[in-house]
Amino acid sequence: MSEEQPQKQVENVAGPSQEAPEGAAGPSKSALKKQAKEEEKAKKAAERKRKEDEAKAARAAADSVDVSSGSYGILPLHQSQDDTPMLPLKRLATVGSGDVGKTVSFRARLASLRQQGSKLLFCEFRQSIVSIQGLLELNENDSGKPLVSKQMMRFCSSSIPESLVLIEGVIQAVDRPIQATTIKNFEVHISKVRPSHNTFRSLL
């Protein structure tokens, strides 16, 4: 009987070490749900950032294309250096209903500028005591109107009042008489602007 007792004691010592540990359960349902929500939130944030980056790159690419290249710029000091073809210069005093829809070219003083938002720029041009309203409208894809780029809008909005400019545009009738100019019933939709060399304000 004395030989059997040690064997039982060994079995009792070894027994507990073979049982599975208690309290080893996985994450709770609430923890799993919270983790899933956080992962979904991070996924949406990454997708939103990707779309914003794509939109920013698209805008940068669009801004780099100047559809009005050649339609604006400072006149050279000597006119003989300018080989840009221009129409015969028109006197504003002769503008009338027969000019509606026609492209004209004229030299005048820029009496004033008034920008309306980022897409419209109103100008007043003056020859002696005769004045006419000019309209520059942002248009980068409608071929039915003069193509005017963002770069051209910035350039023109930086011209100094009372500067001498060479303008080309289409004469159009207006719905209501213009009070600020002597020509009340017509305006010029600008397609080309060429300020004199010494009347351009830096874009800084």
Side-chain angles (χ1 to χ4, degrees):
M1 292 181 64
S2 60
E3 294 178 357
E4 294 177 359
Q5 285 183 343
Q7 184 177 358
K8 289 181 179 179
Q9 291 177 356
V10 171
E11 290 176 355
N12 289 339
V13 172
S17 64
Q18 296 174 354
E19 294 179 1
E22 296 181 0
S28 65
K29 290 184 178 180
S30 60
L32 290 172
K33 187 176 181 180
K34 182 179 180 181
Q35 181 180 353
K37 288 181 66 175
E38 290 177 352
E39 290 176 353
E40 182 66 19
K41 184 178 179 180
K43 182 179 178 181
K44 288 182 178 179
E47 179 67 14
R48 184 166 57 251
K49 186 178 185 306
R50 183 185 66 81
K51 291 182 178 180
E52 290 174 354
D53 290 343
E54 288 179 353
K56 187 183 296 184
R59 288 194 297 269
D63 287 343
S64 66
V65 178
D66 189 352
V67 297
S68 301
S69 178
S71 295
Y72 64 98
I74 305 172
L75 285 170
L77 180 60
H78 301 290
Q79 292 295 138
S80 59
Q81 298 174 354
D82 184 15
D83 57 359
T84 304
M86 296 293 291
L87 298 170
L89 295 180
K90 186 172 183 64
R91 294 177 57 224
L92 293 181
T94 65
V95 171
S97 57
D99 296 309
V100 174
K102 294 181 179 179
T103 300
V104 300
S105 179
F106 61 89
R107 193 186 305 274
R109 291 282 178 184
L110 176 61
S112 65
L113 284 170
R114 177 170 60 87
Q115 190 154 5
Q116 186 172 319
S118 60
K119 296 184 177 182
L120 293 175
L121 180 67
F122 292 92
C123 311
E124 181 184 343
F125 301 111
R126 187 181 69 246
Q127 284 182 353
S128 185
I129 61 172
V130 181
S131 58
I132 189 171
Q133 176 172 279
L135 173 62
L136 189 69
E137 181 178 7
L138 179 66
N139 172 40
E140 296 185 306
N141 50 35
D142 186 353
S143 59
K145 298 179 180 179
L147 290 176
V148 177
S149 64
K150 296 182 183 70
Q151 294 91 331
M152 184 173 177
M153 292 288 292
R154 288 195 294 267
F155 179 90
C156 295
S157 65
S158 298
S159 295
I160 301 175
E162 293 303 322
S163 60
L164 186 64
V165 291
L166 191 59
I167 299 296
E168 186 174 304
V170 179
I171 300 296
Q172 298 288 5
V174 295
D175 297 330
R176 292 181 296 179
I178 301 169
Q179 300 302 319
T181 57
T182 60
I183 298 177
K184 305 292 185 183
N185 301 314
F186 309 101
E187 66 181 7
V188 56
H189 290 194
I190 303 166
S191 57
K192 294 183 180 180
V193 180
R194 305 295 302 277
S196 296
H197 75 283
N198 60 345
T199 56
F200 177 75
R201 184 168 58 222
S202 173
L203 289 174
L204 296 179

